[in-house]
Structures are given as structure tokens and as C-alpha cells.
């Protein structure tokens, strides 16, 4: 009786295993990708899905028998939640776009598959094709968890009309904080006398934008220590304070800026790219002439800005890692695809050769009137010196703590340095717990 | 045997209980995930967790496969092992491996499976040293397999994290059910262990009783043995006495009677020789007749002492029967090779031949402890040559006993010869060779 039972169960097991094997060979391999509609930076030129559809078509041609699919209609606001739900429900997509703020969470929780082995074994692939800062955006604790897909640096918006009004010439790309402050104080002083249509120097330019230009980093790369009290950071905070004092307590608003009454503001490259060429330029800031230059450099740094990158990561649970890697390379590493992305989206390609392609840039900015400031050399300067904020698990929390500390210090107006050092201590305790 | 049955019943209940517990955990996990997704809390859940949530479908499949394999091993191990010790160990190791894989697959939320396998190992693994190792490993697995200890190192999301999405009342109910199910499992294990202890105790008591009975029987057996020895000694003596009496009576009846007649007739003959020679002649004739009669009587007496086998069979079948009998009674391998053609022998020659073979076999088995004996009977000119060889231990210094002496006497009476000793052909063992002249083959002797 028992022997009979044993043989039956063995037979059943063999049958089930064979069935599973058979099912897997018959079933076509399906690769799923997770993408959002629109652009992370809120501005978009082309159709995002069209880009992916074309990439999928190329991939399916070179990889017969493989189907690539995605779910459309996920907006940027609900994308992070959607992705988390996919993980919650089970497998999740094999490949997906990773937003900059989600990267550390996904990498630390083990949701992303570390790519180091795949990169090492792939002779045809080299990380050095990317700008250093872009590549680092996909790195955590010295492991590459994602490849950069699209990058956007921060530039300084210049209201050319306003400057001309006050007889100030367009600043050069290698300007400094002192140059910046001189222009600001000039504008403020000159407009003091005016009662109507007052002009303001700067909008929304805070110490966090200044850090990188002074060679400072707020957190160490491993996310274990905070440098809030360091000299370079303190200098940035003090410069912020100095600029604030120019306005005599008045807070400049977005409305002031839109009306063309503000000379400078930090500006994302994506907006520049969308609103500078015709026809979009008529949609926004059409009542004045404007352009962008690099960020002014601090006493201890260069004309360095922060670069944000959206990434593509691989699901650690993916069953088709090799295929996913091939597709990932097509999206992030193939120059043709990146050129397409570059022309259809608001960002810059993280691949050096694509980003600085003269022909492409000329094509992109052919409708920009006059002598446009952003040319391949400038792009090269911005991108190769730019910095990505270090990513670690508690980045957002630590950053909020630091911002609050500086806010409080600036508002209290006294003993800023001491206050920063003690706050640094608090943040370090949080980071090491 | 009744205990055995109840042990098995408890074990199977544990098997069922663990299945329910595993299903319960998976059900709670899936429900929790659904609730979290419905509340749009997946991202928040990920941000506060230390890992990514388990995939319930894969978990379900893994648990199904591994638990089925474990159950099969537990239910069918007697069939698989067939008392083979290596198989037993393989099955034990397999069960331990499966229990760890299951606990790992369950993300260390539930380690009660270790108890199930521990119970099974206690019941089944008999080899003392290894059993201790197995038991220790399973206990460690049970204790450290919880998500608060080992799970912590595996970067897992703790089970309790999944429960925060539920209403507090529901949460406490879920926890209550979880704890009581785990408790039932532990309770079953305790019952199992108690039953095992009781079984062990019973077993020990039974062995003790058996031992006592055995030693009592042993004493009785020794006593019986001594009595038996005494008895056989008595029988031997009685047989000797009876035989001696019979011989005495025989001699008295035959030889005594005849000799008395001869003595009387001889005396009378001597007296009558001179006076009545005719009469004396008659006396001598009487003496002759009496002596012949006496001789006849003696022959008849000897005839009465002949082996039974020779009485009822001819010599050839008697020999075969005896050898067959010896094979059967002693278990010795005996080869018999008779190449001298039809054996037509006189009675005394038959007797001697029979006794030689009989005595040779007896000595080979009794003194030589042989396991293989070869008996050869062949004709050499006008004599019969009997040789008996064995593979026994031989004899360092041969003491001729009653048997060999008697044999030699018999053979010499027939003008034959006897030789014996340790084998000299390089093998261990004893040999015995007798040459008996056969009168019917020797025309001179016949006359």
C-alpha cells in the first residue's frame, strides 16, 4: 500500500516538473518595463511612449521570440506608489525608470539588482561613456544599481531685458559670487528710488544651490556624516544671508519673476530647453528677453551646479536579467536611442558623446533667437563639473533636518556658525543610529 | 505497540497543524498586502521597511513544494529506508534541510516546522551520537529561526510590520490566532516528547523483565545439563555391565559348555586309549564334534554382534547409507569413491571394512573437527585398500584409543595392515589407510 503511494507520488512529482518545464519552453518570454508618462521635471516636448515603443520595436527585432510590454497611463505623481504596489503585489516590472528621490530607497531595500557583475562581464559596455556625476547618481555604497537615462543640470536664469534696463552687461560663464553680488546690489540700489515696478535681484536662490559652487558637500558619500558645520558650507549659508539682507526683509515671489522684475533665478535646464526655442518661448516669459549662464562660483569652488538624473534600474526579482540588461543597454547606452531621447525630452543625455554632439545641439536650438549661450562647450563645462547629491537611505530626512537648522539659524540672525556646528552633531547622531 | 500508534497519531496531527499555520501566515500576508495597496500605502510601507515585501505567489509555490516533500519523507520514510542505516541518515538530513528551507522561504516568520522535524527525528533516528547532533541543530533552528533573530540578518520585513495596516481590533485577533496556533504546535510537541519518554520507560522495564527471565532459565538449563551428563555416564556404565554380562553368559553357554564336554571326553579318551581303543576313538570323534559345535556357537555369537546395517543390507549399500547418515547428522561434506567393482566379501571382511569406515569418520569429526572428508575404497591386486582423508586439525601426538586398537586387531586377524597419521601432502588433516587381503580374490588362501 505504502509502496504504491510512494510510486504514485514520485510519478506525480515528475509529471508536474515536466509540465512546468514544458510550459516555460512554450510560453514566450515576456519582459515588462515600468515607465511614467510626462517628464520628471514637469516639462516635456515629445511623446514619451513613442520613444519607448520604438525602442521596443528595435529590441524585439534583434531578440526574436521576446515580448516587451509596459503599462501606460501612470502619471509622474503616482509613479512611485505604483512601483511600490508592483513590489507589494509580487514580481514588479523587470526594468523600470527610477526617480532620483526613490533611488536610495529602492537600492537599500534590495529592490534593485546590482549591475556590477553584468557590467564587468559585458565587454561592449563601459561606464566611462557617462558623465561622472550622472553615473554616480545610480551608485550607492560603491555599487552601481542603475544606469542614468536622462539628466538635468541647474543653470542661472538671467533676465537680459532687466539687466539692459540698468545698463549691466550679460555675465560671463565663469563669473563668481562677488560678480553676482555686485550685480545684485547694483540692481537693488538702483531700484530703491523707484516706487512703481520695483526690480529685485534674485528669486529662489538659496544656500543649497550655492553649496556645490563652493566645493562643498553636505553629506559624505556613504551617508554616515554631515558637513553642515564645515567652512565651505558655512560660507554658502553666509552668502545666502548676505543676499537676503539686500531685500530688506521682502520675500521675492514667483509673480515678481514672471512679470520680469527679477534678474536671476536658478533654472532647470529642462525649462530652458523647452521654453527657449520657438514656438514655446511665446508661452512663457514672453514679455522679456532671457538666457541662462552657469552658476556663479564661490571662493573655494568653481562654476559647479547640481545635476539630477532619472535612472533605469533592474528588478532584483527579474527572471530574465540577461535580457533586461540588453534592453537596459539599448535604452541607456545606445547612442542612437539616447539621441532620440535627447531630442524628444527636456533633459540632457548622460552620455558624453551624445550630449555634446554639435549637429544635434544646433538642430535643437535652431529656433533660439540671437547668440544662444548654451553651446557644446558650455554643456561640456556644466556636465563634466556638475555634481550629483550623494544618495543614501536617510537622505531626505537628513536634508530636511539640515534645511530646518539653517532656516532657524538665518532667522535668529546671530551665532550662525555655532548653531550649524551643533545641528551637524544632531544630524550625525541621526545618521549613525 | 499502542504507544507506537499514538506517537504516530500525534506526529501526523503536528504535520496537519503546521500546514494550517503556514497557510494562515500566507493568507494574512496576502490580505495585508491587499489592504496596504488599497490604502495607497505601498510606498510608505517600503520607506519604513528594511527590505522588499515577499512575493506571495512564489512563497505559496515554494511552501507547497517543500512542505509536500517534507510530508512525503515523514510519511514514507520507512518505505524509503528499508532498515538501511545510511538511508535513515539521508532521510534525516533531507528533513532537516527541508525544514530550514521552509523557514527561510517563510522569511523566518514561523520556525515551528523545526519542532515537527525534531519530533520526527526523535522518533526515527536511532543512532545515539548523530541523533544528539540532529536534535541540537533542530532546537537551535527553532529558537533562532524567528524573524527577530535570524530574520534580522536577512534584511527582512518583520511579520508585525504587515499588520499595521489592519484595524487594531483585527490586528490583535490576528496575533491571537497566530500565537495560539504556534502554542498548539508546541503543545503537540510536548505531548509527543512525553509519549516518547513513557515508551522508553516501558521498553526499559520490558527489557529488564526479559533479562531476569533469561537468567533464571539459564540457571535451570545448567542444572539440566549437569543431570544429563550424570545420566549419560550411568547409561554408559549400565551398557558396559549389560554387555559384559551378555558376553559372560554367551561364553558360559557356548564355549564353557563345549570346553567342558571336550575336557570330559578328553579325560575319558585318555583312560580308554589303552583299554578300549574303539571307545577312545568314539570319544575323540565326540571331542571333534563338540569343538566344531563350539566353534559354530562362537560364530553365531559373533554374528549376533554384527552391525544392524550389514544384517539387512549388502556391504555397499550399508556403507552408502552410513556415509549419507553421517553427512546428515554431522553436516560434514563427505565424498565417497568406490572403484573396486562389486564387493563380494566374507562376513568378517565386510564387518572390518564397515568398522574401519565408521571409526575413521567418527575420529575425523570428533577429534579432527573436519568439515570435509574423502573416503576411497579401491582394489590393489588382491587386496582392498581403504583410505580416509580429512581437512581437520590433525593430531599432534596420536594416542591410540580403544577404537584404533580394536581396528588394528581386526585387520591383523585378516592379515591386513593399518597406517595413519597427519597428512603429508601439505594440507592440514589426518589420514588413515587400511589394506585388507580379500580371500575370495586370492585362490591360494581360498584353499
Amino acid at each position: 500500500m505504502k509502496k504504491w503511494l510512494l510510486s504514485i507520488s514520485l510519478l506525480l512529482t515528475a509529471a508536474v516538473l515536466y509540465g512546468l518545464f514544458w510550459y516555460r519552453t512554450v510560453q514566450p518570454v515576456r519582459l515588462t518595463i515600468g515607465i511614467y508618462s510626462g517628464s520628471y521635471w514637469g516639462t516635456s516636448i515629445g511623446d514619451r511612449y513613442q520613444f519607448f515603443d520604438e525602442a521596443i520595436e528595435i529590441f524585439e527585432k534583434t531578440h526574436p521570440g521576446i515580448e516587451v510590454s509596459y503599462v501606460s497611463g501612470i502619471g509622474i505623481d503616482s509613479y512611485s506608489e505604483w512601483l511600490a504596489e508592483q513590489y507589494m503585489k509580487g514580481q514588479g516590472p523587470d526594468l523600470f525608470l527610477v526617480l532620483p528621490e526613490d533611488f536610495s530607497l529602492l537600492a537599500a531595500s534590495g529592490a534593485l539588482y546590482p549591475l556590477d557583475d553584468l557590467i564587468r562581464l559585458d565587454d561592449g559596455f563601459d561606464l566611462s561613456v557617462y558623465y561622472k556625476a550622472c553615473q554616480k547618481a545610480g551608485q550607492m555604497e560603491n555599487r552601481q544599481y542603475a544606469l542614468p537615462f536622462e539628466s538635468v543640470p541647474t543653470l542661472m536664469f538671467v533676465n537680459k531685458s532687466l539687466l539692459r534696463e540698468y545698463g549691466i552687461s550679460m555675465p560671463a560663464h565663469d563669473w563668481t559670487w562677488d560678480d553676482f553680488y555686485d550685480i545684485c546690489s547694483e540692481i537693488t540700489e538702483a531700484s530703491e528710488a523707484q516706487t512703481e515696478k520695483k526690480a529685485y535681484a534674485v528669486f529662489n536662490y538659496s544656500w543649497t544651490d550655492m553649496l556645490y559652487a563652493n566645493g562643498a558637500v553636505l553629506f559624505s558619500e556613504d551617508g554616515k556624516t554631515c558637513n553642515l558645520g564645515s567652512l565651505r558650507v558655512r560660507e554658502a549659508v553666509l552668502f545666502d544671508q548676505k543676499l537676503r539682507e539686500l531685500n530688506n526683509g521682502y520675500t521675492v515671489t514667483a509673480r515678481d519673476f514672471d512679470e520680469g522684475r527679477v534678474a536671476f533665478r536658478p533654472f532647470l535646464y529642462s525649462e530652458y530647453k523647452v521654453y527657449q526655442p520657438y514656438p514655446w518661448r511665446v508661452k512663457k516669459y514672453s514679455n522679456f528677453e532671457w538666457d541662462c549662464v552657469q552658476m556663479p562660483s564661490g571662493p573655494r569652488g568653481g562654476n559647479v551646479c547640481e545635476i539630477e538624473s532619472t535612472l533605469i534600474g533592474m528588478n532584483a526579482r527579474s527572471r530574465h536579467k540577461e535580457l533586461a540588461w540588453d534592453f537596459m543597454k539599448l535604452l541607456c547606452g545606445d547612442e542612437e536611442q539616447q539621441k532620440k531621447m535627447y531630442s524628444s525630452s527636456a533633459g540632457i543625455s548622460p552620455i558624453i558623446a551624445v550630449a555634446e554632439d554639435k549637429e544635434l545641439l544646433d538642430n535643437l536650438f535652431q529656433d533660439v533667437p540671437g547668440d544662444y549661450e548654451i553651446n557644446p562647450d558650455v554643456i561640456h563645462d556644466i556636465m563634466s563639473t556638475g555634481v550629483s547629491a550623494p544618495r543614501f537611505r536617510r537622505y531626505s530626512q537628513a536634508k530636511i533636518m539640515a534645511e530646518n537648522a539653517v532656516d532657524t539659524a538665518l532667522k535668529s540672525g546671530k551665532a550662525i556658525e555655532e548653531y550649524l556646528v551643533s545641528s551637524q552633531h544632531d544630524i550625525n547622531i541621526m545618521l549613525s543610529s | 505497540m499502542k504507544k507506537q500508534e499514538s506517537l504516530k497519531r500525534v506526529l501526523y496531527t503536528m504535520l496537519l497543524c503546521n500546514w494550517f499555520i503556514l497557510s494562515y501566515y500566507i493568507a494574512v500576508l496576502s490580505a495585508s498586502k491587499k489592504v496596504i495597496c488599497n490604502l495607497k500605502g505601498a510606498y510608505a510601507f517600503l520607506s519604513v521597511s528594511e527590505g522588499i515585501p515577499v512575493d506571495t505567489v512564489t512563497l505559496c509555490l515554494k511552501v507547497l513544494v517543500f512542505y509536500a516533500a517534507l510530508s512525503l519523507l515523514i510519511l514514507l520514510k520507512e518505505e524509503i529506508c528499508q532498515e538501511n542505516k545510511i538511508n535513515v541518515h539521508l532521510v534525516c538530513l533531507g528533513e532537516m534541510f527541508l525544514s530550514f528551507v521552509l523557514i527561510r522561504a517563510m522569511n523566518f516568520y514561523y520556525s515551528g516546522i523545526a519542532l515537527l522535524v525534531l519530533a520526527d527525528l526523535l522518533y526515527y533516528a536511532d543512532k545515539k551520537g548523530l541523533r544528539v547532533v540532529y536534535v541540537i541543530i533542530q532546537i537551535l533552528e527553532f529558537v533562532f529561526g524567528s524573524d527577530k533573530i535570524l530574520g534580522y540578518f536577512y534584511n527582512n520585513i518583520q511579520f508585525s510590520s504587515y499588520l499595521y495596516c489592519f484595524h487594531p481590533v483585527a490586528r490583535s485577533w490576528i496575533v491571537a490566532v497566530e500565537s495560539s496556533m504556534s502554542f498548539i504546535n508546541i503543545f503537540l510537541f510536548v505531548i509527543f516528547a512525553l509519549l516518547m519518554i513513557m515508551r522508553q520507560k516501558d521498553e526499559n522495564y520490558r527489557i529488564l523483565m526479559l533479562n531476569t527471565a533469561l537468567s533464571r532459565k539459564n540457571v535451570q538449563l545448567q542444572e539440566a545439563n549437569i543431570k544429563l551428563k550424570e545420566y549419560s555416564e550411568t547409561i554408559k556404565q549400565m551398557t558396559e555391565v549389560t554387555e559384559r554380562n551378555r558376553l559372560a553368559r554367551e561364553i558360559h553357554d557356548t564355549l564353557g559348555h563345549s570346553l567342558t564336554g571336550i575336557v570330559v571326553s578328553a579325560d575319558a579318551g585318555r583312560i580308554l586309549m589303552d583299554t578300549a581303543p574303539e571307545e577312545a576313538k568314539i570319544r575323540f570323534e565326540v571331542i571333534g564334534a563338540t569343538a566344531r559345535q563350539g566353534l559354530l556357537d562362537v560364530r553365531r555369537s559373533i554374528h549376533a554382534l554384527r552391525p544392524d546395517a550389514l544384517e539387512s543390507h549388502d556391504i555397499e549399500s550399508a556403507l552408502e547409507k552410513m556415509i549419507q547418515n553421517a553427512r546428515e547428522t554431522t553436516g560434514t561434506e563427505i565424498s565417497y569413491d568406490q572403484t573396486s567393482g562389486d564387493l563380494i566379501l566374507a562376513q568378517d571382511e565386510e564387518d572390518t571394512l564397515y568398522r574401519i569406515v565408521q571409526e575413521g569418520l567418527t575420529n575425523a569429526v570428533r577429534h579432527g573437527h573436519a568439515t570435509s572428508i574423502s573416503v576411497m575404497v579401491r582394489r590393489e591386486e588382491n587386496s582392498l585398500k581403504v583410505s580416509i582423508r580429512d581437512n581437520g586439525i590433525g593430531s599432534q601426538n596420536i594416542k591410540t584409543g580403544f577404537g584404533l586398537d580394536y581396528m588394528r586387531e581386526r585387520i591383523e586377524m585378516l592379515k591386513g595392515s593399518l597406517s595413519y597419521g597427519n597428512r603429508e601432502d601439505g594440507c592440514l588433516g589426518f589420514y588413515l589407510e587400511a589394506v585388507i587381503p580379500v580371500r575370495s580374490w586370492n585362490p591360494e588362501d581360498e584353499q
Side-chain angles (χ1 to χ4, degrees):
Chain A
M1 163 69 186
K2 275 198 170 173
K3 230 171 212 159
W4 176 79
L5 198 62
L6 181 69
S7 35
I8 287 283
S9 48
L10 280 178
L11 212 71
L12 267 179
T13 319
V16 167
L17 283 179
Y18 179 77
L20 278 176
F21 182 72
W22 177 82
Y23 180 77
R24 284 196 73 170
T25 51
V26 166
Q27 206 62 0
V29 176
R30 202 179 297 260
L31 209 62
T32 51
I33 55 174
I35 53 178
Y36 49 81
S37 61
S39 160
Y40 172 65
W41 292 279
T43 42
S44 186
I45 307 174
D47 182 359
R48 179 57 55 121
Y49 294 128
Q50 194 190 337
F51 167 75
F52 282 103
D53 285 338
E54 283 169 15
I56 287 170
E57 203 176 308
I58 292 170
F59 185 75
E60 284 178 345
K61 245 179 222 157
T62 50
H63 294 75
I66 289 151
E67 283 176 25
V68 186
S69 62
Y70 61 83
V71 180
S72 59
I74 302 148
I76 185 79
D77 298 330
S78 55
Y79 181 70
S80 298
E81 178 66 27
W82 174 82
L83 193 61
E85 268 179 30
Q86 296 308 301
Y87 271 104
M88 207 69 192
K89 283 175 183 160
Q91 295 297 333
D94 295 291
L95 277 184
F96 48 83
L97 286 166
V98 180
L99 306 184
E101 68 261 33
D102 294 346
F103 173 71
S104 55
L105 169 66
L106 292 171
S109 62
L112 289 176
Y113 182 71
L115 305 172
D116 304 79
D117 289 343
L118 289 168
I119 293 170
R120 195 164 36 79
L121 294 174
D122 197 327
D123 293 331
F125 185 80
D126 191 356
L127 277 177
S128 64
V129 300
Y130 296 112
Y131 289 110
K132 199 78 200 146
C134 306
Q135 182 224 322
K136 279 207 158 176
Q139 236 181 26
M140 195 169 88
E141 286 162 6
N142 281 326
R143 307 196 79 173
Q144 194 76 33
Y145 282 99
L147 293 183
F149 177 63
E150 183 179 13
S151 300
V152 166
T154 315
L155 306 167
M156 185 59 87
F157 177 99
V158 183
N159 187 332
K160 275 163 122 176
S161 306
L162 195 72
L163 288 191
R164 205 178 300 129
E165 200 179 305
Y166 288 91
I168 301 163
S169 57
M170 182 78 187
H173 279 298
D174 58 350
W175 59 330
T176 64
W177 283 1
D178 288 339
D179 300 336
F180 183 78
Y181 187 76
D182 287 347
I183 296 173
C184 288
S185 56
E186 208 173 311
I187 291 171
T188 318
E189 269 170 36
S191 78
E192 289 266 285
Q194 289 174 306
T195 44
E196 223 177 291
K197 280 189 114 191
K198 249 178 165 225
Y200 303 99
V202 62
F203 167 64
N204 219 6
Y205 183 45
S206 75
W207 66 279
T208 46
D209 302 306
M210 300 165 191
L211 281 179
Y212 303 105
N214 201 29
V217 275
L218 195 49
F219 302 104
S220 66
E221 211 145 293
D222 58 2
K224 296 270 162 61
T225 49
C226 171
N227 306 317
L228 190 57
S230 71
L231 178 64
R232 286 163 194 251
V233 177
R234 285 201 319 258
E235 278 174 352
V237 174
L238 289 174
F239 187 60
D240 188 353
Q241 191 189 28
K242 208 166 143 191
L243 284 179
R244 281 179 197 220
E245 280 164 359
L246 276 178
N247 287 336
N248 278 327
Y250 177 77
T251 310
V252 182
T253 62
R255 191 186 151 88
D256 293 330
F257 179 78
D258 285 346
E259 284 174 352
R261 306 308 304 151
V262 179
F264 301 113
R265 88 171 272 192
F267 202 64
L268 287 174
Y269 170 83
S270 53
E271 286 188 71
Y272 172 84
K273 191 174 167 189
V274 173
Y275 295 122
Q276 187 59 293
Y278 189 81
W280 301 103
R281 60 180 300 114
V282 298
K283 241 185 125 184
K284 231 175 177 184
Y285 321 128
S286 52
N287 50 350
F288 53 88
E289 236 181 281
W290 59 277
D291 213 325
C292 283
V293 288
Q294 280 179 257
M295 291 300 228
S297 66
R300 283 165 219 284
N303 299 91
V304 174
C305 65
E306 184 183 353
I307 301 176
E308 267 188 321
S309 303
T310 54
L311 310 150
I312 293 187
M314 191 188 294
N315 190 339
R317 283 176 176 164
S318 168
R319 287 209 187 96
H320 315 292
K321 296 212 170 68
E322 296 287 331
L323 278 175
W325 170 242
D326 282 353
F327 194 49
M328 197 173 190
K329 275 196 305 186
L330 182 72
L331 294 174
C332 299
D334 184 78
E335 289 194 8
E336 285 310 306
Q337 293 305 308
Q338 277 287 316
K339 272 181 189 165
K340 266 194 215 164
M341 187 279 297
Y342 197 8
S343 13
S344 70
S345 90
I348 291 181
S349 166
I351 296 180
I352 301 169
V354 177
E356 293 172 18
D357 189 288
K358 178 96 174 66
E359 200 184 329
L360 195 68
L361 275 175
D362 282 345
N363 218 1
L364 274 176
F365 295 112
Q366 60 184 348
D367 294 322
V368 176
D371 231 5
Y372 69 97
E373 295 285 340
I374 304 298
N375 55 48
D377 292 338
V378 175
I379 297 265
H380 173 79
D381 272 1
I382 294 171
M383 294 300 287
S384 51
T385 57
V387 177
S388 283
R391 293 295 178 183
F392 49 91
R393 202 176 166 75
R394 289 180 173 150
Y395 177 74
S396 342
Q397 199 185 346
K399 194 174 176 199
I400 289 170
M401 276 176 87
E403 280 172 349
N404 286 342
V406 172
D407 261 6
T408 321
L410 286 178
K411 271 174 194 152
S412 71
K414 50 189 175 179
I416 288 179
E417 306 193 357
E418 237 172 81
Y419 193 81
L420 291 184
V421 172
S422 78
S423 300
Q424 172 182 319
H425 184 65
D426 292 344
I427 296 171
N428 278 341
I429 290 175
M430 187 277 290
L431 286 175
S432 58
S433 66
Chain B
M1 279 305 105
K2 217 175 165 189
K3 288 247 161 55
Q4 195 100 342
E5 282 301 303
S6 31
L7 269 175
K8 271 194 178 167
R9 216 165 292 148
V10 175
L11 192 65
Y12 294 161
T13 319
M14 276 182 90
L15 201 61
L16 206 66
C17 177
N18 274 290
W19 174 245
F20 279 126
I21 296 175
L22 290 178
S23 317
Y24 177 75
Y25 273 99
I26 293 173
V28 170
L29 278 179
S30 333
S32 150
K33 285 167 143 201
K34 204 152 258 170
V35 171
I36 289 172
C37 286
N38 286 345
L39 294 174
K40 293 280 167 212
Y43 190 78
F45 182 84
L46 270 190
S47 338
V48 295
S49 306
E50 291 287 322
I52 42 175
V54 281
D55 173 16
T56 351
V57 179
T58 321
L59 177 68
C60 236
L61 267 174
K62 277 186 189 169
V63 167
L64 208 69
V65 170
F66 293 140
Y67 203 74
L70 182 65
S71 311
L72 272 181
L73 275 187
I74 289 176
L75 292 174
L76 301 176
K77 61 183 169 310
E78 275 158 21
E79 293 301 310
I80 299 168
C81 292
Q82 309 275 15
E83 308 278 316
N84 182 328
K85 270 188 185 151
I86 293 168
N87 282 355
V88 172
H89 285 305
L90 282 181
V91 166
C92 290
L93 287 175
E95 283 181 14
M96 286 163 67
F97 173 73
L98 281 174
S99 79
F100 182 78
V101 167
L102 268 170
I103 293 173
R104 169 80 192 88
M106 287 295 295
N107 270 344
F108 300 98
Y109 295 154
Y110 175 66
S111 61
I113 311 248
L115 278 190
L116 168 69
V117 171
L118 176 60
D120 195 48
L121 291 181
L122 277 179
Y123 173 70
Y124 200 65
D126 257 339
K127 188 122 186 196
K128 288 261 157 59
L130 274 175
R131 184 164 73 167
V132 172
V133 177
Y134 292 165
V135 166
I136 289 172
I137 290 175
Q138 285 311 109
I139 291 174
L140 287 180
E141 200 176 309
F142 174 66
V143 175
F144 291 106
S146 83
D147 63 342
K148 285 174 194 70
I149 304 174
L150 256 180
Y152 178 79
F153 295 105
Y154 271 94
N155 200 21
N156 273 341
I157 304 173
Q158 297 207 342
F159 184 68
S160 51
S161 311
Y162 286 98
L163 304 182
Y164 286 115
C165 62
F166 293 114
H167 187 271
V169 178
R171 200 190 310 158
S172 39
W173 269 105
I174 289 169
V175 173
V177 173
E178 179 200 347
S179 336
S180 32
M181 283 175 106
S182 299
F183 174 75
I184 290 173
N185 187 45
I186 295 172
F187 179 70
L188 281 171
F189 177 75
V190 170
I191 290 184
F192 186 87
L194 281 177
L195 279 173
M196 278 292 290
I197 293 169
M198 278 159 72
R199 188 179 81 141
Q200 200 70 38
K201 237 177 150 184
D202 283 1
E203 194 94 320
N204 286 349
Y205 180 71
R206 213 165 56 89
I207 289 171
L208 191 74
M209 292 321 277
L210 274 176
N211 267 337
T212 322
L214 196 68
S215 51
R216 203 181 298 139
K217 290 270 183 249
N218 243 340
V219 171
Q220 282 176 1
L221 202 66
Q222 269 171 5
E223 282 170 2
N225 230 346
I226 292 167
K227 270 187 194 158
L228 212 62
K229 257 186 191 160
E230 285 171 358
Y231 183 63
S232 78
E233 204 60 34
T234 320
I235 284 186
K236 202 173 152 193
Q237 282 170 8
M238 270 169 67
T239 316
E240 271 174 23
V241 170
T242 319
E243 192 63 18
R244 215 177 291 140
N245 286 349
R246 198 175 70 88
L247 276 173
R249 197 170 55 243
E250 201 74 35
I251 291 165
H252 174 262
D253 288 354
T254 52
L255 276 180
H257 180 75
S258 308
L259 288 176
T260 313
I262 289 167
V263 168
V264 172
S265 298
D267 284 348
R270 185 169 41 87
I271 296 164
L272 290 172
M273 184 72 95
D274 298 326
T275 52
E278 281 307 307
E279 197 67 16
K281 211 189 253 177
I282 291 168
R283 288 298 165 195
F284 285 125
E285 273 168 18
V286 170
I287 287 173
T290 310
R292 259 189 290 276
Q293 184 58 47
L295 199 61
L296 263 178
D297 284 350
V298 167
R299 274 191 183 149
R300 207 187 59 239
S301 295
I302 290 167
H303 190 84
L305 288 174
R306 290 197 82 189
D308 275 350
L310 282 177
E311 270 309 286
S312 47
H313 298 94
D314 59 51
I315 176 70
E316 269 182 68
S317 46
L319 278 174
E320 267 161 24
K321 198 178 170 204
M322 174 183 52
I323 285 166
Q324 186 54 37
N325 203 26
R327 280 186 192 125
E328 282 161 11
T329 52
T330 62
T332 317
E333 197 183 296
I334 302 171
S335 67
Y336 172 56
D337 189 17
Q338 200 276 100
T339 54
S340 53
D342 288 343
L343 284 176
I344 300 156
L345 304 176
Q347 212 173 58
D348 49 356
E349 289 163 352
E350 278 185 353
D351 287 359
T352 308
L353 177 57
Y354 188 85
R355 289 293 182 205
I356 290 169
V357 175
Q358 191 178 39
E359 186 67 22
L361 291 181
T362 310
N363 286 344
V365 173
R366 190 191 292 162
H367 304 300
H369 306 297
T371 55
S372 163
I373 306 168
S374 86
V375 177
M376 278 190 291
V377 180
R378 60 170 53 89
R379 182 171 174 173
E380 259 181 20
E381 292 181 357
N382 295 328
S383 299
L384 201 62
K385 186 172 172 184
V386 186
S387 68
I388 299 168
R389 283 165 201 280
D390 65 54
N391 66 345
I393 56 168
S395 179
Q396 287 314 103
N397 44 349
I398 303 152
K399 277 185 248 155
T400 54
F402 183 75
L404 277 173
D405 282 347
Y406 180 62
M407 201 188 295
R408 182 184 297 281
E409 264 170 42
R410 273 175 176 274
I411 291 167
E412 278 170 2
M413 264 161 68
L414 296 172
K415 296 177 186 152
S417 67
L418 176 70
S419 62
Y420 49 78
N422 287 327
R423 281 168 71 168
E424 285 152 3
D425 52 359
C427 304
L428 269 180
F430 197 79
Y431 79 93
L432 182 147
E433 255 175 32
V435 180
I436 309 163
V438 178
R439 287 194 296 273
S440 59
W441 295 338
N442 199 333
E444 286 169 36
D445 257 32
E446 194 76 29
Q447 287 175 356

